[in-house]
């Protein structure tokens, strides 16, 4: 097995690192405090090809591999997890799903502007009463012949207030249960479609999370993705790939907090020496470095298997489960290493600790990942 990155991958990693340091870092604390969406920064990410990294260039994408995506995601998330989740949703949940399952007409009309970064998208699956249990969709899409009538509420939608296009999962035939669910492309501004109040979150406060309200929204038949009843399978397939994005985000949060903790430990003195010379601190850093490396390898493995066309339900779930736990453990220890300074915003690690928690929840909780993994290994 070759653990060396290609020259192109190293260039992508460095470009993402430079962008994060120069464009994301300067106002990241202010954006977190004010819940300000990184509008200009996301626009530049689109221009760099970071919002459609793995999409075929004929649809406006950058045509890169999934390992490059992991590398770029880690560098962005090291500095700003909010910008990273915007990138993850657009790449993993929206663009990837459209490229694999949408019709040619849908790809030309919707995928091209999304992959090129001219607009961003959102993925609407969760509801007030349907989170981990995605089969319990209450949002309905009534077949009216040449269009569907969409009614219901979606919750916790990342990019909810800034997206131009939304992939919405809804129930068409309740008697068929999950086989009666469909996926639709909905445009912002359609009559009856309303974006709800922005959520006031613990972490990733720079990203915009909203509820979506659909009141007799007419969705043209040609905006259904795939065959009738394909929506649930579509959502599950998309989420499998999406877990690589969130695992990479968690990896970035962890590695960013570790780098700050290491730098602090090398300069902060206690008992007449730098605190890294105290075994209690040195061992914390050793554990952090080891766990982050292991998480990175799991992310690379899932990305490699994805590019190889393999089933990544198990490897993606493992990467997300482990990397999200590492993100929590590492950020908590980074705050501890900083002592009182870790508890104030100026030193960044308190924000990273808050940002880390969501990686254990969205796009499948840690408990759901364990269900996926256990079912896979039981086969």
């Amino acid at each position: 097995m070759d653990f060396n990155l290609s020259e192109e991958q190293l260039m992508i990693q460095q470009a993402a690192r430079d962008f994060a340091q120069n464009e994301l870092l300067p106002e990241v604390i202010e954006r977190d405090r004010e819940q300000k969406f990184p509008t200009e920064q996301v626009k530049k990410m689109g221009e760099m090809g970071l919002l459609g990294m793995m999409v075929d260039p004929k649809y406006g994408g950058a045509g890169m591999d999934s390992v490059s995506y992991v590398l770029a995601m880690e560098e962005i998330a090291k500095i700003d997890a909010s910008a990273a989740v915007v990138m993850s949703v657009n790449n993993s949940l929206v663009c990837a799903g459209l490229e694999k399952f949408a019709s040619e007409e849908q790809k030309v009309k919707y995928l091209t502007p999304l992959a090129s970064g001219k607009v961003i998208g959102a993925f609407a699956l969760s509801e007030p009463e349907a989170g981990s249990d995605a089969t319990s969709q209450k949002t309905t899409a009534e077949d009216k012949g040449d269009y569907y009538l969409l009614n219901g509420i979606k919750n916790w939608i990342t990019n909810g207030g800034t997206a131009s296009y939304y992939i919405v999962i809804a129930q068409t035939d309740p008697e068929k249960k999950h086989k009666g669910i469909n996926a639709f492309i909905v445009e912002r501004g359609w009559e009856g479609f309303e974006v709800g109040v922005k959520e006031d979150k613990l972490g990733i406060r720079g990203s915009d999370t909203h509820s979506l309200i659909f009141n007799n929204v007419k969705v043209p038949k040609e905006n259904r993705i795939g065959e009738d009843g394909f929506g649930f399978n579509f959502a599950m397939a998309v989420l499998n790939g999406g877990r690589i994005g969130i695992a990479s985000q968690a990896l970035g949060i962890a590695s960013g907090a570790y780098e700050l903790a290491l730098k602090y430990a090398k300069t902060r003195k206690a008992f007449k020496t730098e605190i890294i010379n105290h075994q209690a601190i040195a061992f914390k850093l050793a554990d952090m470095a080891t766990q982050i490396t292991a998480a990175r390898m799991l992310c690379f493995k899932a990305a490699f298997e994805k590019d190889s066309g393999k089933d990544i339900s198990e490897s993606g779930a493992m990467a997300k489960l482990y990397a999200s736990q590492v993100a929590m453990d590492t950020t908590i220890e980074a705050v501890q290493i900083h002592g009182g300074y870790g508890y104030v915003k100026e030193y960044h690690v308190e924000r990273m600790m808050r940002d880390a928690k969501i990686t254990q929840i969205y796009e499948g909780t840690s408990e759901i990942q364990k269900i996926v993994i256990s079912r896979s290994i039981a086969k």
Side-chain angles (χ1 to χ4, degrees):
M1 182 178 290
D2 186 1
F3 286 91
N4 294 313
L5 298 175
S6 69
E7 184 176 341
E8 182 182 10
Q9 289 169 337
L10 289 170
M11 289 175 61
I12 292 165
Q13 182 185 47
Q14 188 62 52
R17 182 178 298 157
D18 291 343
F19 175 81
Q21 289 289 333
N22 297 328
E23 301 289 343
L24 292 173
L25 180 58
E27 297 179 354
V28 66
I29 293 174
E30 289 76 6
R31 289 195 300 273
D32 173 75
R33 182 174 58 244
E34 299 168 8
Q35 299 189 77
K36 183 180 179 182
F37 187 82
T39 303
E40 291 303 314
Q41 291 83 356
V42 169
K43 181 180 178 182
K44 291 178 181 178
M45 288 165 68
E47 294 169 353
M48 290 176 63
L50 295 178
L51 297 184
M53 289 188 67
M54 297 162 288
V55 175
D56 192 311
K58 72 177 181 179
Y59 298 119
M64 300 178 193
D65 65 309
S66 296
V67 172
S68 296
Y69 175 52
V70 170
L71 293 169
M73 274 291 299
E74 179 181 357
E75 294 301 326
I76 298 299
K78 277 184 184 180
I79 304 301
D80 188 352
S82 295
V85 74
V86 175
M87 177 178 164
S88 178
V89 167
N90 207 73
N91 273 285
S92 298
L93 299 187
V94 180
C95 287
L98 290 177
E99 184 171 32
K100 187 171 184 179
F101 298 111
S103 67
E104 184 63 24
E105 292 76 14
Q106 290 169 342
K107 291 178 184 179
V108 171
K109 184 176 181 180
Y110 296 111
L111 177 59
T112 301
L114 285 162
S116 60
K118 294 178 181 177
V119 298
I120 60 174
F123 182 79
L125 173 64
S126 294
E127 297 181 359
E129 297 180 20
S132 294
D133 182 7
T135 61
S136 299
Q137 296 290 303
K138 295 293 188 287
T139 298
T140 60
E142 186 179 356
D143 191 341
K144 292 292 187 178
D146 58 349
Y147 67 90
Y148 288 89
L149 205 59
L150 194 62
N151 284 281
I153 297 173
K154 294 293 182 179
N155 265 23
W156 321 118
I157 308 305
T158 301
N159 300 345
T162 51
S164 295
Y165 306 133
Y166 302 76
I167 295 178
V168 181
I169 312 300
Q171 180 65 261
T172 298
D173 189 344
E175 291 185 0
K176 293 182 179 179
K177 299 181 179 179
H178 74 280
K179 292 182 179 180
I181 293 172
N182 279 304
F184 304 93
I185 304 169
V186 176
E187 297 183 21
R188 187 185 187 89
W190 279 358
E191 185 177 355
F193 175 29
E194 179 184 350
V195 176
V197 176
K198 185 176 183 177
E199 301 291 350
D200 188 2
K201 306 189 298 290
L202 171 72
I204 57 166
R205 290 169 60 81
S207 68
D208 64 321
T209 306
H210 294 256
S211 58
L212 306 177
I213 301 138
F214 304 95
N215 185 14
N216 289 329
V217 179
K218 288 186 177 180
V219 181
K221 209 64 170 279
E222 59 265 26
N223 277 44
R224 187 188 70 203
I225 300 172
E227 297 298 318
D228 185 29
F230 180 64
F232 181 77
N233 289 336
F234 169 84
M236 295 303 102
V238 167
L239 285 171
N240 276 341
R243 285 163 188 155
I244 296 177
I246 300 306
S248 303
Q249 180 197 26
L251 171 63
I253 295 169
S255 58
Y258 164 74
E259 289 177 5
L260 289 173
L262 179 62
K263 181 180 179 181
Y264 184 81
K266 287 180 176 180
T267 56
R268 172 70 170 176
K269 288 187 175 183
F271 304 103
K272 298 181 181 181
T273 187
E274 291 77 12
I275 62 174
I276 196 170
N277 295 321
H278 297 297
Q279 191 177 79
I281 302 300
F283 278 15
K284 287 182 187 294
L285 291 164
D287 285 339
M288 292 158 75
T290 301
Q291 291 162 5
I292 288 167
T293 300
R296 187 177 292 113
M297 291 301 103
L298 282 172
C299 289
F300 282 169
K301 181 177 185 290
F304 178 80
E305 290 186 354
K306 181 176 183 290
D307 288 340
S308 301
K310 296 181 179 180
D311 179 5
I312 59 167
S313 56
E314 180 183 306
S315 60
M318 284 182 172
K320 183 183 183 297
L321 173 66
Y322 187 72
S324 62
Q325 186 61 56
V326 170
M328 278 305 304
D329 293 345
T330 300
T331 54
I332 289 171
E333 291 289 41
V335 170
Q336 191 72 15
I337 289 170
H338 279 77
Y341 291 106
Y343 209 66
V344 298
K345 296 185 182 299
E346 179 185 355
Y347 285 77
H348 295 282
V349 288
E350 66 84 27
R351 169 174 51 83
M352 292 176 166
M353 186 175 71
R354 289 186 285 107
D355 288 345
K357 184 58 194 173
I358 191 61
T359 65
Q360 295 182 308
I361 299 173
Y362 60 12
E363 294 192 33
T365 64
S366 293
E367 291 75 18
I368 290 295
Q369 304 314 310
K370 290 180 181 180
I371 290 174
V372 172
I373 296 165
S374 62
R375 286 175 177 173
S376 178
I377 63 178
K379 288 181 181 178

